[in-house]
Amino acid sequence: LVIMISMLALVGRAYAEISYGFSASLTQIDASGTETEGGERSTGDADNLVVVPSLFLEYGFSDTISVGLDYIPLSADVSKNTKSRTDVETSVSGTATTTTTSRTQKAQAELSNHTTLYANYMLGDSLFLKAGVAYVELDATESLGTGSQYGSEDIYGAVVGIGAMQDNVRIEL
């Protein structure tokens, strides 16, 4: 009787499975921002279409539910181009002397440390739903004539998707 109970316990654990590997995603990045300097407000947009590789580790609790962690080991530019503008200020003193100051402002944004915690729920033999939370750091790399800095921002987002799986190959949207 003791041997039979142990065997049943082992069968119950047979569903547990650890998967790991790499993936590649075609990613469209769209961003917009606003800057206010000295009462002047400027807006800008940036976009980029890029293939992003990632590494994942996933644990299957049963044949229907799995939980995973996906990490992108690279950083990515938000835009293909560095945003640049030259500001020219002209001032007149009390003696009617004209002074002109020119400053070049260059900025670029980069995403790094992109990590996603997710769960997959199988709807049948091959279809599944995906839900999770994603984290990424937005780092500004700038050369501003004013000496200012944009700094970094932590961004959190929701992950929702549907996919199909056959053997070791997955396609997700």
Side-chain angles (χ1 to χ4, degrees):
L1 183 62
V2 173
I3 295 172
M4 217 162 162
I5 292 172
S6 297
M7 289 174 72
L8 289 175
L10 292 175
V11 170
R13 293 182 184 180
Y15 290 114
E17 181 177 301
I18 294 178
S19 303
Y20 58 91
F22 67 93
S23 66
S25 303
L26 181 63
T27 304
Q28 173 69 42
I29 301 170
D30 290 307
S32 62
T34 303
E35 173 190 46
T36 303
E37 180 185 16
E40 181 183 335
R41 185 178 170 131
S42 302
T43 60
D45 296 311
D47 63 87
N48 202 355
L49 181 65
V50 63
V51 175
V52 179
S54 69
L55 305 171
F56 70 89
L57 178 65
E58 186 173 299
Y59 181 79
F61 288 97
S62 67
D63 58 351
T64 56
I65 297 176
S66 62
V67 174
L69 187 66
D70 187 87
Y71 178 72
I72 299 172
L74 308 172
S75 59
D77 290 336
V78 172
S79 174
K80 297 176 277 249
N81 304 318
T82 299
K83 300 297 181 186
S84 178
R85 76 168 195 254
T86 301
D87 297 332
V88 178
E89 295 178 7
T90 304
S91 63
V92 178
S93 66
T95 60
T97 305
T98 303
T99 305
T100 302
T101 304
S102 177
R103 293 188 304 243
T104 301
Q105 317 279 39
K106 293 182 180 181
Q108 173 67 298
E110 187 174 271
L111 299 172
S112 61
N113 293 322
H114 190 284
T115 306
T116 303
L117 178 63
Y118 65 89
N120 289 338
Y121 180 77
M122 295 300 296
L123 297 174
D125 290 338
S126 61
L127 290 178
F128 64 91
L129 294 177
K130 182 175 200 163
V133 62
Y135 163 80
V136 68
E137 291 176 21
L138 176 66
D139 300 313
T141 55
E142 66 273 327
S143 170
L144 303 177
T146 60
S148 298
Q149 291 184 334
Y150 291 117
S152 299
E153 193 73 31
D154 293 340
I155 300 172
Y156 295 89
V159 174
V160 179
I162 188 165
M165 183 169 69
Q166 184 67 40
D167 297 323
N168 287 332
V169 177
R170 284 190 208 171
I171 296 175
E172 300 177 0
L173 177 64

